[in-house]
Amino acid sequence: MKKLGKELFTNHGADILSYGGLVLCVLIFSFLSEGKIFSAYNFRILIQAVCVYAILCMGAMFVYAMGYMDISVGAQVGVYSILCILIANKTNSVWLGFLTILGLALICGFINGYVSVMLGLPSIVTSIFLMSIFSGIQALIMEKLALNSVAITCDMTQYKDTKFMIAMIVIVAIVSIVLFKYTPLGEVVRSIGANEHATQYSGINTTKWKVLAYAFFGICVALGAFLLTARTGAAGKGTGNGYAMDIMVALLLGGMPLSGGMRSKISSALIGSFTYVILSNGLILSGVDTKLVYIIKAIVFIAVILITCRKKDGVLPR
């Protein structure tokens, strides 16, 4: 029995911890917030927040599964939100704004995936370069506008509706699951995370699949930025700050191994997003000081890393 339990935890430990963490968050904050966390008003806030995080995390899964990471996502979200608002206000077309940032996001995805391979650079280097570029662009745009934030004048009410947000989570989840489990893209990115050299030696053109993985992530970043704009109705200097780290924390809470590999699953993005948002929202509703919220989330982050730390391919360290 003891051997069976040990084997069960070895094979499914991350799943047990991630689902258990979500249930624990729900139970604890239901009590501490005196039920406020699931009031009609707060439920709408939760869905709006989860929608953005879940879409970004599902796109990030294709990058993290390779054992890579992209820390430029926050700066990209900030610039895309601002550009979407400026273009929509100028043309009175929200869709033109979205298509513009979608094109930019795809270009950045290709840069991240292709340039790093061609120059032999680690993915983190190109993402640092993009983060610096986008942070500078964001600052320059707001400086030129001489504003701290810019509000959208077009009606985006329908895009922040709870039903629409849920529908977007479901649609992106279905597409992500199909791509991740039933197409060569998902198989190859997981194989790269498990052993990139072995994947290359087997005759697979890893460059092509890396570019496709980053391109899909780019689509999710653009969509996430669009929905964040609909949710807030404005964007400015601080928009997107912290999203790169938030995505990493959410994926870890969902049981995602930092090294990527064959145990990577889209469910990690969904479970992690819900857990992270409920944790953040629950702490605030429970009356915890904002400064302490960041400290508590940092402690949780470190604890999750220590508990779920694993070697390549999801093998628990001895």
Side-chain angles (χ1 to χ4, degrees), residues 170-192:
V170 172
I171 291 170
V172 176
I174 291 172
V175 172
S176 299
I177 291 169
V178 170
L179 289 175
F180 206 74
K181 291 188 67 176
Y182 304 107
T183 70
L185 175 59
E187 183 179 347
V188 173
V189 296
R190 283 178 287 158
S191 178
I192 290 173

Side-chain angles (χ1 to χ4, degrees), residues 76-110 134 137 141 218-219 221-226 229:
Q76 287 190 56
V77 167
V79 172
Y80 296 156
S81 295
I82 294 170
L83 288 178
C84 184
I85 290 174
L86 293 177
I87 293 170
N89 289 349
K90 188 73 174 179
T91 63
N92 200 33
S93 172
V94 172
W95 280 103
L96 184 58
F98 172 68
L99 291 175
T100 302
I101 63 174
L102 178 61
L104 288 173
L106 284 172
I107 291 172
C108 289
F110 284 119
F134 274 95
I137 292 173
I141 292 175
I219 293 172
V221 172
L223 183 56
F226 178 79
T229 303

Side-chain angles (χ1 to χ4, degrees), residues 218-279:
I219 293 172
C220 291
V221 172
L223 183 56
F226 178 79
L227 293 171
L228 178 63
T229 303
R231 177 190 169 199
T232 60
K237 295 179 180 178
T239 303
N241 284 356
Y243 266 86
M245 184 59 68
D246 290 346
I247 288 172
M248 187 187 300
V249 174
L251 289 176
L252 284 170
L253 288 173
M256 174 70 189
L258 275 178
S259 58
M262 303 309 290
R263 290 182 182 256
S264 305
K265 293 179 291 186
I266 294 297
S267 61
S268 296
L270 293 169
I271 296 299
S273 298
F274 276 97
T275 304
Y276 182 77
V277 171
I278 290 174
L279 175 64

Side-chain angles (χ1 to χ4, degrees), residues 12-25:
H12 304 286
D15 293 333
I16 294 171
L17 290 171
S18 59
Y19 283 94
L22 176 58
V23 172
L24 190 62
C25 277

Side-chain angles (χ1 to χ4, degrees), residues 71-316:
I71 62 172
S72 69
V73 59
Q76 287 190 56
V77 167
V79 172
Y80 296 156
S81 295
I82 294 170
L83 288 178
C84 184
I85 290 174
L86 293 177
I87 293 170
N89 289 349
K90 188 73 174 179
T91 63
N92 200 33
S93 172
V94 172
W95 280 103
L96 184 58
F98 172 68
L99 291 175
T100 302
I101 63 174
L102 178 61
L104 288 173
L106 284 172
I107 291 172
C108 289
F110 284 119
I111 291 174
N112 245 342
Y114 191 75
V115 174
S116 62
V117 174
M118 291 300 99
L119 298 180
L121 297 172
S123 62
I124 189 70
V125 174
T126 52
S127 70
I128 290 174
F129 169 75
L130 285 174
M131 180 184 69
S132 301
I133 292 293
F134 274 95
S135 296
I137 292 173
Q138 186 174 6
L140 285 173
I141 292 175
M142 298 313 299
E143 185 178 330
K144 188 173 181 62
L145 293 172
L147 296 169
N148 288 323
S149 65
V150 57
I152 191 161
T153 56
C154 297
D155 184 17
M156 295 189 74
T157 306
Q158 60 180 319
Y159 302 115
K160 66 176 181 179
D161 179 73
T162 303
K163 292 179 180 178
F164 179 81
M165 291 281 191
I166 293 174
M168 291 308 302
I169 295 173
V170 172
I171 291 170
V172 176
I174 291 172
V175 172
S176 299
I177 291 169
V178 170
L179 289 175
F180 206 74
K181 291 188 67 176
Y182 304 107
T183 70
L185 175 59
E187 183 179 347
V188 173
V189 296
R190 283 178 287 158
S191 178
I192 290 173
N195 193 320
E196 184 170 354
H197 293 301
T199 305
Q200 291 174 331
Y201 292 149
S202 65
I204 295 174
N205 181 2
T206 56
T207 301
K208 178 181 76 172
W209 298 108
K210 286 178 182 178
V211 171
L212 288 175
Y214 274 103
F216 182 73
F217 185 27
I219 293 172
C220 291
V221 172
L223 183 56
F226 178 79
L227 293 171
L228 178 63
T229 303
R231 177 190 169 199
T232 60
K237 295 179 180 178
T239 303
N241 284 356
Y243 266 86
M245 184 59 68
D246 290 346
I247 288 172
M248 187 187 300
V249 174
L251 289 176
L252 284 170
L253 288 173
M256 174 70 189
L258 275 178
S259 58
M262 303 309 290
R263 290 182 182 256
S264 305
K265 293 179 291 186
I266 294 297
S267 61
S268 296
L270 293 169
I271 296 299
S273 298
F274 276 97
T275 304
Y276 182 77
V277 171
I278 290 174
L279 175 64
S280 302
N281 181 261
L283 287 170
I284 294 172
L285 285 180
S286 301
V288 178
D289 186 87
T290 306
K291 296 176 182 177
L292 290 177
V293 169
Y294 290 107
I295 296 174
I296 292 172
K297 287 197 290 188
I299 293 172
V300 171
F301 176 55
I302 294 172
V304 170
I305 289 180
L306 292 175
I307 295 171
T308 63
C309 180
R310 20 170 125 195
K311 295 179 182 178
K312 282 279 185 184
D313 222 12
V315 180
L316 290 168

